[in-house]
Amino acid sequence: MSIAGSASLRVSSPCSIRPGEAVRASLHGGDAARDTLLVVRWFPPDGREYLWQVSF
């Protein structure tokens, strides 16, 4: 996960996540609704890259 903007991100995540598992993340500070973007990226076994972009 990566974040851009004035907020900060706290993540407790392992190096790899198996199907059905979850990752807990919390966003702190700043005005996330105005200027923060979260990007989650992952790689399935076939080697492709997936990106999930979240605007607050």
Side-chain angles (χ1 to χ4, degrees), residues 12-54:
S12 60
S13 64
C15 293
S16 63
I17 303 165
R18 296 184 177 174
E21 292 182 332
V23 173
R24 186 173 294 241
S26 53
L27 192 67
H28 298 277
D31 188 357
R34 292 192 142 212
D35 69 357
T36 302
L37 177 71
L38 171 70
V39 177
V40 179
R41 76 190 260 218
W42 67 99
F43 300 90
D46 65 8
R48 290 182 290 171
E49 179 181 22
Y50 289 89
L51 297 172
W52 182 37
Q53 182 174 306
V54 180

